[in-house]
Amino acid sequence: MKTHLPPFTRSHRWLHRIAAILAVGTILLIAKGGLVHSAGAGLSVPDWPTTYGENMFTYPVEKWTGGIVYEHGHRLIASGIGVLMIVVTVWVWMKDDRRWLKWLSTTALLAVIIQGVLGGLTVLMRLPTAVSVSHGMLAQFFMLMTVLIAAATSPRWRKGVPPIAVDARRGLQRLLQATVIFTFVQILLGAITRHTYSGMAIADFPLNNGQIIPAFTSFGVAIQFAHRVGAVILTAMIFTQGIRILRQRALSKLRLPAAAAIGMVTIQFMLGATVIWTREAIVPNTFHVLGGALTFTLVFLTYVRSVRYYRFACEPQNEKELHLQGVNA
């Protein structure tokens, strides 16, 4: 494997900038999708790929009224993200010599195409839960791919410096990976809660229908309670990994995303409570979706940086190994 890539040219600089815009735009698009659902505007435009029988891109602005503003705007932004993804993919294939990055960008392009089709199917099939949840979760995967592309095209990453050996337990890196996986599970639970309209199945907080553990009288109560328990577990995981990282100066490249993840998951926890207290008001509901995407991004970046920039020490397996290490030292 190469340890150094060709010099960071002006072309590479612009590729990174566009990739970064793509990643940020994708996060905002997810928030926009959350706004569409929160406003109950998912079927404000009942046809696809047209808008009330007209070309989506030339639909008159004066007809953007009511829920059409949310749904039609979401479609236009999604189209813009698709165009940016095409640009980034072509640029990567032309200017970057990393094979894995070429195939990553191609996979992301395929994902955004499928995402567009799923978005259309949610309308044509009148918001079926399975399709709506799949649409939302594929958006999360696509977001992570764009974040990784943006990171990989940055000047720091392209320097190709070998990972630094650090005196840190490999268990920490496993925790970072587990946190990414569990964040996905938590977002999935949230998506199912939203798209089965179970957000108010438990109508109080911090109690659960007046109890610590509610009576599971419906699927809505079960999925809502699972999402709440998941929030507690995820918050504990993010705080644990963040504190461990912040205590080790050697892991400087992980400190910013880890600290940001602690801050974001705290805000996200409070937003979840506010959604209940306000009876799923549009603003906190939308920001809760955005908070989930930002939290996912931050824990993912923390893990990716740990793999890219560090080589963690192996944990001693037993007392004999500990003794031998002490003798060798």
Side-chain angles (χ1 to χ4, degrees):
M1 184 178 69
K2 293 182 178 180
T3 57
H4 292 282
L5 292 167
F8 193 73
T9 65
R10 184 176 182 181
S11 177
H12 293 128
R13 183 177 296 108
W14 276 105
L15 170 60
H16 172 60
R17 289 172 179 171
I18 294 175
I21 292 171
L22 172 63
V24 173
T26 300
I27 293 172
L28 295 177
L29 178 61
I30 290 173
K32 180 67 172 176
L35 175 60
V36 171
H37 182 86
S38 299
L43 292 176
S44 295
V45 181
D47 53 338
W48 181 87
T50 54
T51 299
Y52 287 97
E54 299 185 40
N55 187 307
M56 179 176 67
F57 302 105
T58 60
Y59 190 71
V61 176
E62 58 269 19
K63 294 184 180 181
W64 293 24
T65 57
I68 296 175
V69 174
Y70 302 120
E71 172 63 10
H72 186 63
H74 181 63
R75 294 185 183 189
L76 292 180
I77 295 172
S79 299
I81 292 297
V83 171
L84 279 179
M85 190 66 248
I86 293 172
V87 171
V88 169
T89 301
V90 172
W91 207 325
V92 166
W93 275 90
M94 291 177 61
K95 296 295 183 180
D96 203 291
D97 61 353
R98 289 169 289 182
R99 193 173 186 82
W100 71 268
L101 186 58
K102 291 178 179 180
W103 287 112
L104 174 63
S105 62
T106 302
T107 302
L109 178 57
L110 178 61
V112 80
I113 293 171
I114 297 173
Q115 178 72 351
V117 174
L118 284 174
L121 289 176
T122 60
V123 173
L124 298 178
M125 298 174 69
R126 298 298 184 261
L127 308 179
T129 299
V131 178
S132 296
V133 171
S134 298
H135 180 62
M137 298 314 296
L138 182 56
Q140 299 288 335
F141 276 120
F142 175 70
M143 175 190 70
L144 295 189
M145 285 188 280
T146 62
V147 167
L148 182 53
I149 292 170
T153 54
S154 66
R156 177 183 292 180
W157 187 299
R158 282 187 57 88
K159 287 180 181 179
V161 178
I164 302 170
V166 291
D167 184 19
R169 299 301 188 191
R170 188 170 292 173
L172 173 58
Q173 196 171 49
R174 288 196 290 267
L175 174 60
L176 300 181
Q177 184 182 53
T179 302
V180 173
I181 294 171
F182 194 80
T183 304
F184 170 80
V185 172
Q186 175 64 359
I187 291 176
L188 176 59
L189 291 173
I192 296 173
T193 300
R194 286 170 60 82
H195 291 290
T196 57
Y197 299 93
S198 302
M200 294 306 299
I202 300 176
D204 55 347
F205 184 85
L207 292 177
N208 302 282
N209 289 339
Q211 305 175 63
I212 296 177
I213 299 177
F216 298 111
T217 56
S218 67
F219 173 79
V221 172
I223 193 67
Q224 169 72 276
F225 184 67
H227 187 53
R228 293 187 178 198
V229 172
V232 174
I233 295 173
L234 180 60
T235 300
M237 292 175 75
I238 291 176
F239 266 80
T240 299
Q241 69 177 36
I243 291 171
R244 290 180 64 179
I245 288 170
L246 294 174
R247 284 179 174 177
Q248 299 191 52
R249 294 183 179 180
L251 301 177
S252 59
K253 290 181 173 63
L254 306 185
R255 301 182 83 177
L256 180 59
I262 289 176
M264 192 64 247
V265 78
T266 303
I267 294 172
Q268 180 70 347
F269 195 95
M270 293 308 302
L271 281 171
T274 305
V275 168
I276 300 299
W277 293 333
T278 61
R279 298 298 184 264
E280 295 189 304
I282 292 176
V283 173
N285 218 356
T286 301
F287 274 101
H288 191 53
V289 174
L290 174 60
L294 289 173
T295 302
F296 203 6
T297 297
L298 289 168
V299 297
F300 178 69
L301 274 177
T302 306
Y303 173 68
V304 167
R305 285 191 174 194
S306 76
V307 174
R308 172 64 185 85
Y309 297 116
Y310 297 105
R311 186 173 69 253
F312 287 72
C314 293
E315 293 182 281
Q317 298 299 312
N318 49 50
E319 292 185 6
K320 181 179 180 181
E321 187 176 341
L322 283 169
H323 175 70
L324 289 175
Q325 285 187 357
V327 171
N328 293 335

